[in-house]
């Protein structure tokens, strides 16, 4: 799984496994949550977003539950 640290008010790190299509987001509260069947372009978009929290809310939240 590729994991990168992010500079965000809500997140600490994000990780993505292209084989399983699982995205993991570690939030500042310390919890890591998995998101399933996430297309790679969504991870790339999150990784490069100006606002990680905004991108999460618009493109990931409530869309890829495991």
């Amino acid at each position: 799984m590729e994991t990168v640290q992010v500079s965000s008010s809500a997140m600490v790190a994000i990780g993505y496994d292209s084989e399983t299509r699982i995205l993991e987001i570690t939030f500042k509260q310390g919890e890591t949550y998995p998101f399933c069947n996430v297309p790679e372009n969504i991870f790339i978009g999150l990784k490069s977003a100006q606002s990680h929290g905004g991108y999460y809310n618009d493109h990931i939240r409530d869309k890829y539950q495991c």
Side-chain angles (χ1 to χ4, degrees), residues 8-10 12 16 32 37 57 61:
S8 168
S9 60
V12 175
Y16 183 74
T32 300
N37 296 313
N57 286 333
R61 186 177 192 167

Side-chain angles (χ1 to χ4, degrees), residues 12-53:
V12 175
I14 58 174
Y16 183 74
D17 185 317
S18 60
E19 289 185 19
T20 62
R21 295 174 39 127
I22 292 177
L23 170 69
E24 290 185 344
I25 300 177
T26 303
F27 290 90
K28 292 248 178 171
Q29 298 90 344
E31 296 292 326
T32 300
Y33 294 96
F35 299 88
C36 293
N37 296 313
V38 178
E40 189 168 6
N41 67 306
I42 295 292
F43 170 67
I44 292 167
L46 177 62
K47 188 167 61 167
S48 62
Q50 291 278 31
S51 169
H52 301 292

Side-chain angles (χ1 to χ4, degrees), residues 51-65:
S51 169
H52 301 292
Y55 190 92
Y56 166 79
N57 286 333
D58 293 343
H59 301 281
I60 300 167
R61 186 177 192 167
D62 299 327
K63 294 183 173 117
Y64 298 103
Q65 285 78 21

